[in-house]
Amino acid sequence: MRTQVGIVGAGPAGLLLGHLLHRAGIESVVLESRSRTHVEERIRAGLLEQGTVDVLTETGVGDRLHREGLVHEGLELRFDGEGHRIPLTSLTGRRVTIYGQQEVLKDLIAARLGAGAPLQFEVEQVALHDLESDYPSITYVHEGAAQTLHCDVIAGCDGFHGICRESIPAGVLRAYERVYPFAWLGILAAAPPASPELIYARHERGFALATMRSETLSRLYLQCRPEEDLAAWSDDRIWAELHARLAHRDLGSPVKEGKILQRGVTAMRSFVVEPMRFGRLFLAGDAAHIVPPTGAKGMNLAVADIRVLAHALQAFYRGRGMGLLEAYSAKALARVWKAQRFSWWMTSLLHSFDGEDPFEHKVQVAELDYICGSAAGAMTLAENYVGLPLALG
Ligand code: RFL
Ligand code: PHB
């Protein structure tokens, strides 16, 4: 088999790349190791920057997102028992939208299969070859048959645990990493949101976040230990902890209880590899970088990488040479590092580290107070949260 671009992974990065290339008349094959049901039901990110919404809308996959997504113009920071609103839209002119990552994936999968473009689920033993030549290839097994896919370029969109990054010889990449001494316990509950806007709470007992998926579905997170045993968390314990951490001093807890539909623990890590390229292999999204979820940047960064990569691939196929592909890694990394910085900063601002150090607590609260009390402080948070501009160049 032959195609122009071989795409490994059908997450937001791989599926969006396939979609943008298809619209530009460039052929691709998307290979995914999991089943379609698994990909469409895996609950992960939920908050889309305006730039992410814009690219989905402009390329014809935004209809359901506009019908079902919840548009937000602000968020709340809660600390020392009080709430402070950051008016994102009046500060930046931009808005964010709550729409589950798996819903974005359903829309992209439907568009791709509707267009008859190749997307294979449940592929096994994926391996990359001849990355330093002009004729790279991907071998894999699908429905019991061994396959070879010859391509011009390979896009490594297979997430943090994928094989693409690992296929690059030792010594080529430099990795930068920070592992945090905590994790998030997340639940999805059949309950109305705690509040119409997200609440990010800093509390002595640990961070908590109240977000949502719809008017009747809440998504709630609690800071916990990295090795946390879910079995130790009864429903009652989860709700009690959410009430305690999200409570307002005078108004009490805004959290509304409901049946817990799903629960899980997510490790927290910052990770970047440089460069995001080896020969004809280009890494994008979580395959190249991970952020802690506090800044809601992971999926949005994957989308931004893909916009840069798709633009460079179009230039390549229009006969403009390798110039923009050569520049891809540096261009993507400039934005990646700003999102890394923001995610690390939001994480440091809102979590408790190593029990409760009273000095650290005071400094965190002073910084939160500054952000909420100063136009410059609020703007710093707002412009990063809604997403920094992306120039394709
Ligand atoms: P993905 O989504 O991990 O997709 C990679 C795909 O590749 C497949 N795969 C392979 N396919 C073929 N061959 C192989 N050898 C393969 N190995 C793996 C996998 O099955 C998968 O389908 O990476 P991608 O596309 O780069 O997208 C990244 C995002 O998924 C991720 O950054 C976000 O989910 C992070 N994230 C958030 N991001 C946001 O922008 N906003 C948020 O509000 C937000 N909240 C979150 C999050 C992540 C979370 N978790 C669970 C990690 C909240 C949580 C709790
Ligand atoms: C979510 O809705 O799942 C979500 C929102 C904001 C975050 C992280 C997760 O910072």
PDB file of all heavy atoms in Angstrom, residues 39 64 130 208 341 353:
ATOM      1  N   VAL A  39     -12.037   4.524  21.419  1.00  0.00           N
ATOM      2  CA  VAL A  39     -11.620   5.900  21.109  1.00  0.00           C
ATOM      3  C   VAL A  39     -12.783   6.879  21.339  1.00  0.00           C
ATOM      4  O   VAL A  39     -12.599   7.962  21.883  1.00  0.00           O
ATOM      5  CB  VAL A  39     -11.123   5.987  19.647  1.00  0.00           C
ATOM      6  CG1 VAL A  39     -10.925   7.425  19.201  1.00  0.00           C
ATOM      7  CG2 VAL A  39      -9.817   5.201  19.489  1.00  0.00           C
ATOM      8  N   ARG A  64     -22.178  20.157  15.426  1.00  0.00           N
ATOM      9  CA  ARG A  64     -22.679  19.630  16.707  1.00  0.00           C
ATOM     10  C   ARG A  64     -22.012  20.372  17.868  1.00  0.00           C
ATOM     11  O   ARG A  64     -22.645  20.655  18.884  1.00  0.00           O
ATOM     12  CB  ARG A  64     -22.396  18.118  16.782  1.00  0.00           C
ATOM     13  CG  ARG A  64     -23.251  17.412  17.814  1.00  0.00           C
ATOM     14  CD  ARG A  64     -23.262  15.914  17.563  1.00  0.00           C
ATOM     15  NE  ARG A  64     -21.964  15.296  17.738  1.00  0.00           N
ATOM     16  CZ  ARG A  64     -21.512  14.787  18.887  1.00  0.00           C
ATOM     17  NH1 ARG A  64     -22.269  14.837  19.978  1.00  0.00           N
ATOM     18  NH2 ARG A  64     -20.322  14.228  18.958  1.00  0.00           N
ATOM     19  N   ASP A 130      13.022   3.206   7.944  1.00  0.00           N
ATOM     20  CA  ASP A 130      13.690   4.101   6.985  1.00  0.00           C
ATOM     21  C   ASP A 130      13.301   5.565   7.170  1.00  0.00           C
ATOM     22  O   ASP A 130      13.036   6.278   6.195  1.00  0.00           O
ATOM     23  CB  ASP A 130      13.389   3.656   5.534  1.00  0.00           C
ATOM     24  CG  ASP A 130      13.807   2.205   5.302  1.00  0.00           C
ATOM     25  OD1 ASP A 130      14.892   1.824   5.819  1.00  0.00           O
ATOM     26  OD2 ASP A 130      13.051   1.457   4.657  1.00  0.00           O
ATOM     27  N   ALA A 208      -9.147  21.328  44.030  1.00  0.00           N
ATOM     28  CA  ALA A 208     -10.346  20.692  43.452  1.00  0.00           C
ATOM     29  C   ALA A 208     -10.819  21.541  42.284  1.00  0.00           C
ATOM     30  O   ALA A 208     -10.599  22.759  42.254  1.00  0.00           O
ATOM     31  CB  ALA A 208     -11.456  20.573  44.488  1.00  0.00           C
ATOM     32  N   ARG A 341       4.790  26.374  30.346  1.00  0.00           N
ATOM     33  CA  ARG A 341       4.987  27.328  31.433  1.00  0.00           C
ATOM     34  C   ARG A 341       3.664  27.632  32.122  1.00  0.00           C
ATOM     35  O   ARG A 341       3.534  27.605  33.348  1.00  0.00           O
ATOM     36  CB  ARG A 341       5.603  28.639  30.916  1.00  0.00           C
ATOM     37  CG  ARG A 341       5.936  29.619  32.028  1.00  0.00           C
ATOM     38  CD  ARG A 341       5.864  31.083  31.600  1.00  0.00           C
ATOM     39  NE  ARG A 341       4.530  31.526  31.291  1.00  0.00           N
ATOM     40  CZ  ARG A 341       3.629  31.966  32.170  1.00  0.00           C
ATOM     41  NH1 ARG A 341       3.934  32.026  33.460  1.00  0.00           N
ATOM     42  NH2 ARG A 341       2.430  32.333  31.787  1.00  0.00           N
ATOM     43  N   PHE A 353       1.605  21.201  48.050  1.00  0.00           N
ATOM     44  CA  PHE A 353       2.804  20.377  47.870  1.00  0.00           C
ATOM     45  C   PHE A 353       3.217  19.839  49.230  1.00  0.00           C
ATOM     46  O   PHE A 353       3.258  20.596  50.202  1.00  0.00           O
ATOM     47  CB  PHE A 353       3.951  21.228  47.306  1.00  0.00           C
ATOM     48  CG  PHE A 353       3.772  21.569  45.840  1.00  0.00           C
ATOM     49  CD1 PHE A 353       2.861  22.535  45.449  1.00  0.00           C
ATOM     50  CD2 PHE A 353       4.505  20.915  44.867  1.00  0.00           C
ATOM     51  CE1 PHE A 353       2.696  22.851  44.101  1.00  0.00           C
ATOM     52  CE2 PHE A 353       4.343  21.226  43.527  1.00  0.00           C
ATOM     53  CZ  PHE A 353       3.441  22.191  43.149  1.00  0.00           C
TER      54      PHE A 353
END
